[in-house]
């Protein structure tokens, strides 16, 4: 069988650090958080950015954890721009100041994506697990507006804040955001741990879809609304990462190159590190990137389906998380024999009684000597 | 979008010459739009000074094409980008 043609990646997500002042239970970071000592150096990242640009990456997302926890963030932005990358900072805002924003602008930062955990201090600080966080975010947002930095507001929505969607859209307008991402929580990493606490109800989801459709019309040309519906309630899976190893890659704080956020939950995949392997080899020849590229790996059900090249069989990590089999059809799919498992989870969690307490995202306490 | 509207690429949106794909790309927030030749020609005219009508007139003259057809194409293309906040318009 012919090898699938592999295009260069468009986007790279650089998880600069797993350190973060916040402790969001919906965080997609892995349960095993990377320690500061394992983080890549400024120089290694700079080289990786150049390799990425040469490979064809256009968009660089500086993420984490909280990227501002790195004191060299301003230098990293400069290196990214020097490499020719469109540079987007994904931040909670905590750890940034006006002076740091000014330095980031001087370094060439193109765009900021600021997360909000809620529209009021009470809920925002409870979800972020960080008192005073909301007020600091709002202060930072006013500096962002004042400095004219293009802003996207990022709101991860779930059972506890989906009913505030209209107020969330209003907040984005007030802050002068050009875009808002209303991303219903995706169950990976800490979010998966907290699934029962976060799973919205079908009513909440239906209402949110209506509100988004109406708001899109009303704000056309003023604010772009991106909506990521919660896929457990969908009939077909999302095209995760636009297809495995086809449009983008993630690099973890220690340099591990990942086809997606949660790829490390899949047993048996061999990952390479950008510190020791060239990005071009990782992308085109790396075993982890080849594992689910194209259609050969797919079960018969997907191979013969007319949506094969639309959703690529869905998310491998979700098949792993829900069915324990990374090569299975995504259990979100109505045609999947695994759908019953997902529906049982939804019945138990989405419409179930009181939500359990959050398990906050925190690094493992050090093992006592 | 009227012919008098003046289009401009807002901060955070820029044209980029992609050496790997040998194409011009419009880069913006969560956006990497591969431009065809026509799109690239139009966006290279967008300077925040000239109006849609002036740009269309110049392009029509340059390519020897009917001004109203070019005008309609330019408006449609830029309107699509304005809806996505990849182009801003002021009214001069
Ligand atoms: S989701 Fe919350 S905890 Fe996770 S990195 Fe972002 S701000 Fe930090
Ligand atoms: S069967 Fe496979 S390819 Fe078809 S819709 Fe379901 S997940 Fe997608």
């Amino acid at each position: 069988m012919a090898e699938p043609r592999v295009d260069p990646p468009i986007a790279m997500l650089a998880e600069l650090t797993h350190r973060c002042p916040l402790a969001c239970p919906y965080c997609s970071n892995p349960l095993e958080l990377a320690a500061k000592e394992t983080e890549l150096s400024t120089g290694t990242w700079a080289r990786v950015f150049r390799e990425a640009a040469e490979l064809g990456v256009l968009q660089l997302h500086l993420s984490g954890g909280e990227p501002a926890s790195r004191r060299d963030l301003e230098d990293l932005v400069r290196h990214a721009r020097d490499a020719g990358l469109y540079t987007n900072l994904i931040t909670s805002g905590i750890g940034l100041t006006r002076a740091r924003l000014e330095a980031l602008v001087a370094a060439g930062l193109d765009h900021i994506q600021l997360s909000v955990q809620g529209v009021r201090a009470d809920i925002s600080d409870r979800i972020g697990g960080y008192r005073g966080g909301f007020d600091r975010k709002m202060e930072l947002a006013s500096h962002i507006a004042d400095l004219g930095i293009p802003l996207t507001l990022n709101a991860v929505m779930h059972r506890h804040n989906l009913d505030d969607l209209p107020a969330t859209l209003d907040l984005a307008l007030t802050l002068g955001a050009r875009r808002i991402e209303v991303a219903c929580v995706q169950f990976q990493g800490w979010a998966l741990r907290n699934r029962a606490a976060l799973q919205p109800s079908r009513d909440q989801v239906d209402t949110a879809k209506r509100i988004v459709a109406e708001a899109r019309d009303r704000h056309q040309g003023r604010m772009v609304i991106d909506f990521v519906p919660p896929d457990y309630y969908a009939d077909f899976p999302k095209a995760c990462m636009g297809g495995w190893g086809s449009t983008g890659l993630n690099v973890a704080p220690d340099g591990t190159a990942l086809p997606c956020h949660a790829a490390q939950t899949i047993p048996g995949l061999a990952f390479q590190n950008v510190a020791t392997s060239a990005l071009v080899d990782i992308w085109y020849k790396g075993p982890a990137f080849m594992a689910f590229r194209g259609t050969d790996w797919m079960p018969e059900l997907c191979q013969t389906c007319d949506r094969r090249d639309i959703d690529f069989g869905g998310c491998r990590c979700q098949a792993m998380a829900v069915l324990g089999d990374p090569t299975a059809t995504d259990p979100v799919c109505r045609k999947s024999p695994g759908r019953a498992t997902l529906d049982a989870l939804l019945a138990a969690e989405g419409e179930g009684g009181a939500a359990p307490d959050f398990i906050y995202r925190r690094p493992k306490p050090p093992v006592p000597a | 979008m009227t012919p008098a509207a003046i289009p401009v690429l807002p901060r955070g949106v820029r044209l980029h010459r992609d050496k790997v794909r040998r194409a011009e790309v419009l880069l913006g927030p969560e956006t990497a739009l591969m431009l065809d030749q026509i799109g690239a020609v139009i966006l290279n005219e967008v300077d925040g000074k000239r109006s849609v009508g002036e740009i269309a007139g110049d392009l029509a003259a340059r390519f020897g094409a009917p001004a109203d057809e070019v005008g309609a194409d330019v408006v449609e293309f830029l309107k699509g980008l304005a809806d996505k906040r990849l182009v801003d318009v002021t009214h001069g």
Side-chain angles (χ1 to χ4, degrees):
Chain A
M1 195 165 208
E3 290 274 310
R5 206 191 103 199
V6 184
D7 289 324
I10 294 167
M12 182 166 91
L13 184 106
E15 291 176 7
L16 298 178
T17 178
H18 277 161
R19 286 174 286 150
C20 184
L22 268 58
C24 309
Y26 66 70
C27 186
S28 63
N29 284 157
L31 299 179
E32 197 76 40
L33 294 166
K36 180 179 183 198
E37 302 72 56
T38 66
E39 290 175 8
L40 295 183
S41 67
T42 316
T44 304
W45 277 120
R47 172 176 59 71
V48 173
F49 295 162
R50 286 192 297 274
E51 286 184 28
E54 275 161 32
L55 180 56
V57 169
L58 297 167
Q59 295 255 348
L60 177 68
H61 304 290
L62 298 175
S63 174
E66 172 49 60
S69 299
R70 292 220 20 165
R71 302 316 299 177
D72 59 352
L73 180 63
E74 294 81 346
D75 291 332
L76 291 171
V77 168
R78 185 168 301 106
H79 288 302
R81 280 303 306 264
D82 286 350
L85 297 168
Y86 187 93
T87 307
N88 173 33
L89 177 66
I90 301 179
T91 180
S92 70
I94 308 299
L96 288 177
T97 57
R98 184 172 178 111
R100 284 195 87 184
L101 283 177
E102 285 169 353
L104 288 167
V105 171
L109 184 68
D110 284 295
H111 176 258
I112 286 187
Q113 189 173 313
L114 178 70
S115 68
V116 287
Q117 283 65 29
V119 286
R120 294 177 314 275
D122 58 345
I123 179 166
S124 176
D125 294 357
R126 180 167 77 83
I127 290 168
Y130 186 85
R131 198 170 317 148
F134 182 76
D135 291 342
R136 288 176 62 179
K137 277 168 194 282
M138 292 305 106
E139 193 195 328
L140 193 81
S142 73
H143 291 310
I144 292 172
D146 195 38
L147 295 168
I149 308 172
L151 171 69
T152 291
L153 205 68
N154 175 268
V156 174
M157 312 284 299
H158 42 77
R159 180 200 285 235
H160 302 273
N161 62 7
L162 209 45
D163 296 336
D164 290 332
L165 179 54
T168 310
L169 296 167
D170 286 345
L171 178 66
L173 286 166
T174 312
L175 298 178
R178 258 187 235 168
R179 288 177 69 250
I180 180 170
E181 280 182 17
V182 177
C184 292
V185 57
Q186 304 296 309
F187 296 114
Q188 310 287 5
W190 290 83
L192 182 60
R193 255 280 180 90
N194 284 289
R195 188 176 57 202
L198 296 170
Q199 189 73 264
S201 71
R202 184 175 293 277
D203 270 358
Q204 282 184 307
V205 173
D206 290 344
T207 307
K209 283 186 185 157
R210 254 198 334 272
I211 291 170
V212 165
E214 191 264 335
R216 269 189 185 141
D217 278 353
R218 197 150 32 99
H219 302 308
Q220 194 183 67
R222 179 162 175 216
M223 183 170 77
V224 178
I225 304 173
D226 271 2
F227 181 58
V228 183
D231 58 354
Y232 280 40
Y233 286 102
D235 292 333
F236 295 112
K238 285 192 318 289
C240 187
M241 295 297 288
W244 185 277
S246 78
T247 63
L249 73 158
N250 290 8
V251 180
D254 67 355
T256 308
L258 304 170
C260 80
H261 250 90
Q264 279 161 310
T265 61
I266 297 177
L269 287 186
F271 299 105
Q272 290 160 287
N273 193 297
V274 296
T276 46
S277 300
L279 206 58
V280 62
D281 291 333
I282 295 176
W283 178 257
Y284 286 108
K285 292 188 265 175
F289 283 81
M290 312 239 306
F292 301 108
R293 195 175 254 154
T295 56
D296 281 4
W297 64 270
M298 285 182 182
E300 184 71 18
L301 178 65
C302 295
Q303 295 251 12
T304 56
C305 175
D306 58 3
R307 289 181 56 88
R308 184 187 73 177
D309 301 316
I310 299 172
D311 62 39
F312 315 101
C315 172
R316 297 305 88 227
C317 306
Q318 185 140 280
M320 179 66 214
V322 176
L323 305 173
D325 176 6
T327 66
T329 297
D330 188 323
V332 162
C333 179
R334 292 280 160 199
K335 299 184 187 177
S336 157
R339 179 71 213 193
T341 308
L342 201 79
D343 282 334
L345 284 173
L346 266 184
E349 296 173 351
E351 313 291 347
D357 288 343
F358 290 147
I359 301 162
Y360 284 98
R361 169 215 192 269
R362 308 223 191 260
K364 255 205 212 124
V367 187
Chain B
M1 191 176 291
T2 63
I6 299 173
V8 64
L9 294 187
R11 186 162 154 192
V13 179
R14 52 195 169 84
L15 281 167
H16 175 80
R17 175 78 211 164
D18 182 342
K19 293 194 208 91
V20 175
R21 297 172 189 80
R22 296 209 186 82
E24 281 215 69
V25 195
L26 187 65
L27 294 178
E30 289 294 322
T31 304
L33 193 69
M34 304 290 157
L35 299 168
D36 59 15
Q37 233 173 341
I38 301 169
V41 164
I42 295 174
L43 283 177
N44 273 296
E45 299 297 314
V46 168
D47 57 6
K49 295 190 190 83
R50 282 175 309 149
S51 69
V52 172
E54 286 168 313
I55 291 173
D58 286 358
L59 291 177
R62 188 178 346 151
F63 295 102
D68 49 345
E69 262 176 46
V70 175
D73 286 351
V74 171
V75 165
E76 190 192 286
F77 179 67
L78 292 178
K79 167 88 171 63
L81 294 176
D83 284 346
K84 295 187 215 135
R85 294 283 332 249
L86 296 171
V87 162
D88 278 353
V89 279
T90 57
H91 296 273

